[in-house]
Amino acid sequence: MRRAQFWLRSLGGVGTAVTALLLGLTGAPSAPAAEAPAAAVIHEAENAVVSQGAVESNHAGFTGSGFVNYNNLSGSYVEWTVDAAQAGTTSLTIRFANGTATSRPMDITVNGAVVATARAFPGTGAWTSWSTTTVNATLKAGANTVRATATTANGGPNVDSLTTAAGGPAPGGRTPVEINGQLKVCGTKLCNQYGKPIQLRGMSTHGLQWYSQCVTSGSLDALATDWNADVLRISMYIQEGGYETNPRKFTDLVHSIIEQATARGMYAIVDWHMLSPGDPNHNLSRAKTFFTEIAQRHVGKNNLLYEIANEPSGVSWSKIKSYAEQLIPVIRQHDPDTPVLVGTRAWSSLGVSEDSDETEIVNNPVKASNIMYTFHFYAASHGTEYLNTLSRAADKLPMFVTEFGTQTASGDGGNNFTRSQQYIDLMASKKISWSNWNYSDDERSGAVFKGGTCDNNGPWTGTGPLKPAGVWVRDRTRTPDDFPTG
């Protein structure tokens, strides 16, 4: 429902800061430390104990002086000694490359105890393409051993390093992902690994081409632990100075933010933020390329959702449906399990903004399983007709509100908190998950942070740095669903 002219923004004075951050997050793969939380320590694999493997340097992109190439057999391993100043929960991030199409799973143990069984290390596309996977474990004060052991005859992937960072989420099912695991669509609801309907609540980034400086270790720590958010929507515009200008840079940036959300136990919506032109078929080829890489790289994760068309507009439902039915099979070739979120007509209003409603989808749904349909609203612009449409649709279709604001459809102006609360109450009663627009310090009232917060790298926690809309939505994000398990 956001028209493009409301959202185009020159980099202006933040251009230098944005460029610096993008270089830190998306440059050559030789700088993983930029993506680790504060106080992270890198332990190079070539300096660890290696059993049935060899230190090599023939594939570019590694850090330090080399990487470990596991022998192709079960039981080969790399073992690091990690010193912890005090006992506590620590994130363990392994940087790896897998140039094959087959996952090379490994058991991760800490002091001899398994903390992750047969953790997937999927193909990364090439031996020079590096990725990361993160688990959380409790370390004792002093010396600890962390071992990554291959569990199949293929051996392990090439391992570059282990990065440790204290203060990660505690193990034992306390983060949203640890509790709920792999999500799936059951009937009209989003369900957890126990088959129970749940509601996710969280925030959407602003366009990464403008506000990636708002997506930092500190801001994501705040979102996960101060806001208690369940989900982060990663909004990557396609046009408007986004993906089409540099596909490699923006794909790498999305990879990085996925890893950061994963490390914090949050779900991540990968938002293909097509806006103008409004026909998603214009970007079908680009979408196939992008989602193929995302699905291949992150197939081992259980915390993703794919939003394949942000806000179609000026195009029929039949064309949106055709787009989805061409793209979803491409994704499913590489990732059969991740739910797919399909944009709806008229800026994801279920057609209401172009004088239609949900019946066009009810009568002609996308031919695919494990999918949901998206709805966007801005409470100061979208009243009873939109609210009632969402309510009716949720009784017949699996719905996910991937974007909403308390302001007008421009993301600016006064807040209508009364109407917003009506939507919040409806979504809670029908277990409709949501993410709010947006987690930035844009000058509009819909950006949650006050101006200058991102360029100054915070402060991020509490209500002090927040605009009124930020205070309001933080309060509602901090009261999560009960996440039933029995």
Side-chain angles (χ1 to χ4, degrees):
M1 285 166 275
R2 279 183 345 277
R3 287 170 168 78
Q5 61 265 31
F6 292 123
W7 296 94
L8 297 179
R9 181 184 188 275
S10 170
L11 292 177
V14 302
T16 301
V18 173
T19 301
L21 182 83
L22 287 175
L23 286 172
L25 290 179
T26 67
S30 58
E35 288 138 44
V41 178
I42 298 176
H43 308 268
E44 297 292 352
E46 64 269 24
N47 299 327
V49 175
V50 179
S51 176
Q52 301 179 101
V55 174
E56 298 179 353
S57 58
N58 57 321
H59 298 302
F62 57 84
T63 62
S65 60
F67 56 85
V68 171
N69 180 357
Y70 281 62
N71 290 353
N72 292 343
L73 53 86
S74 178
S76 50
Y77 67 80
V78 174
E79 182 179 280
W80 297 267
T81 297
V82 175
D83 290 320
Q86 59 187 18
T89 303
T90 301
S91 63
L92 309 173
T93 299
I94 296 175
R95 189 167 188 261
F96 71 97
N98 180 359
T100 75
T102 303
S103 179
R104 296 191 168 195
M106 297 197 292
D107 286 345
I108 312 301
T109 60
V110 173
N111 299 324
V114 178
V115 296
T117 302
R119 183 61 176 258
F121 286 80
T124 59
W127 292 110
T128 55
S129 180
W130 298 87
S131 185
T132 61
T133 190
T134 300
V135 300
N136 298 292
T138 300
L139 269 57
K140 65 183 181 181
N144 298 261
T145 58
V146 178
R147 181 182 292 188
T149 304
T151 60
T152 72
N154 290 325
N158 287 352
V159 170
D160 182 38
S161 63
L162 168 72
T163 299
T164 58
R174 294 180 58 188
T175 70
V177 176
E178 286 170 332
I179 297 170
N180 294 298
Q182 178 65 58
L183 304 180
K184 61 182 177 181
V185 180
C186 53
T188 60
K189 306 300 182 185
L190 182 64
C191 294
N192 64 13
Q193 62 183 330
Y194 303 101
K196 303 296 184 180
I198 64 167
Q199 182 193 39
L200 302 180
R201 308 179 192 185
M203 293 298 300
S204 174
T205 72
H206 204 322
L208 298 179
Q209 74 274 41
W210 301 313
Y211 290 99
S212 55
Q213 75 273 25
C214 298
V215 187
T216 70
S217 291
S219 72
L220 293 179
D221 284 345
L223 187 63
T225 61
D226 181 56
W227 290 57
N228 296 336
D230 309 313
V231 62
L232 171 70
R233 182 182 186 234
I234 305 167
S235 292
M236 183 191 69
Y237 280 70
I238 316 310
Q239 280 72 47
E240 294 82 36
Y243 175 86
E244 71 172 1
T245 67
N246 192 332
R248 183 72 268 146
K249 179 178 75 173
F250 284 100
T251 302
D252 285 345
L253 182 53
V254 172
H255 285 317
S256 168
I257 299 173
I258 288 172
E259 298 295 350
Q260 294 183 74
T262 302
R264 290 160 177 81
M266 290 190 291
Y267 289 93
I269 300 172
V270 180
D271 168 26
W272 183 251
H273 204 87
M274 50 73 53
L275 185 60
S276 179
D279 184 351
N281 292 284
H282 177 82
N283 288 305
L284 177 58
S285 178
R286 294 185 181 99
K288 288 181 177 180
T289 298
F290 173 77
F291 279 107
T292 293
E293 179 169 333
I294 294 294
Q296 287 178 326
R297 179 78 61 89
H298 302 287
V299 65
K301 293 182 173 63
N302 62 355
N303 66 317
L304 297 188
L305 302 104
Y306 301 138
E307 184 176 0
I308 61 173
N310 164 57
E311 288 188 345
S313 63
V315 64
S316 68
W317 168 245
S318 62
K319 289 187 177 180
I320 301 169
K321 177 176 179 286
S322 173
Y323 164 83
E325 291 175 349
Q326 293 178 74
L327 180 56
I328 291 172
V330 173
I331 295 172
R332 292 291 183 235
Q333 288 178 10
H334 308 286
D335 184 347
D337 299 321
T338 294
V340 172
L341 312 179
V342 180
T344 61
R345 189 153 75 89
W347 296 278
S348 284
S349 71
L350 288 166
V352 179
S353 290
E354 291 175 355
D355 301 318
S356 186
D357 59 29
E358 79 282 1
T359 57
E360 64 184 15
I361 303 175
V362 172
N363 294 334
N364 189 23
V366 171
K367 294 178 181 178
S369 61
N370 204 27
I371 67 168
M372 307 188 83
Y373 300 94
T374 68
F375 187 80
H376 295 177
F377 69 85
Y378 284 81
S381 294
H382 304 128
T384 302
E385 182 182 7
Y386 290 80
L387 183 69
N388 291 343
T389 300
L390 176 60
S391 179
R392 292 193 311 268
D395 292 335
K396 299 178 180 180
L397 300 168
M399 299 300 304
F400 197 124
V401 174
T402 54
E403 182 180 313
F404 81 91
T406 57
Q407 316 75 31
T408 65
S410 69
D412 205 0
N415 296 291
N416 187 335
F417 293 135
T418 300
R419 176 70 70 187
S420 298
Q421 189 61 49
Q422 292 175 346
Y423 277 104
I424 290 289
D425 292 342
L426 171 67
M427 292 187 291
S429 69
K430 300 201 174 189
K431 295 281 190 183
I432 302 172
S433 297
W434 53 258
S435 61
N436 177 261
W437 183 269
N438 65 76
Y439 202 62
S440 84
D441 63 354
D442 177 19
E443 67 272 12
R444 298 170 181 84
S445 59
V448 298
F449 292 110
K450 296 175 182 176
T453 300
C454 297
D455 286 344
N456 292 327
N457 195 25
W460 303 110
T461 59
T463 59
L466 302 178
K467 297 174 186 174
V471 174
W472 188 90
V473 74
R474 174 180 176 271
D475 184 58
R476 282 142 187 85
T477 307
R478 282 167 61 85
T479 55
D481 189 29
D482 57 5
F483 294 147
T485 59

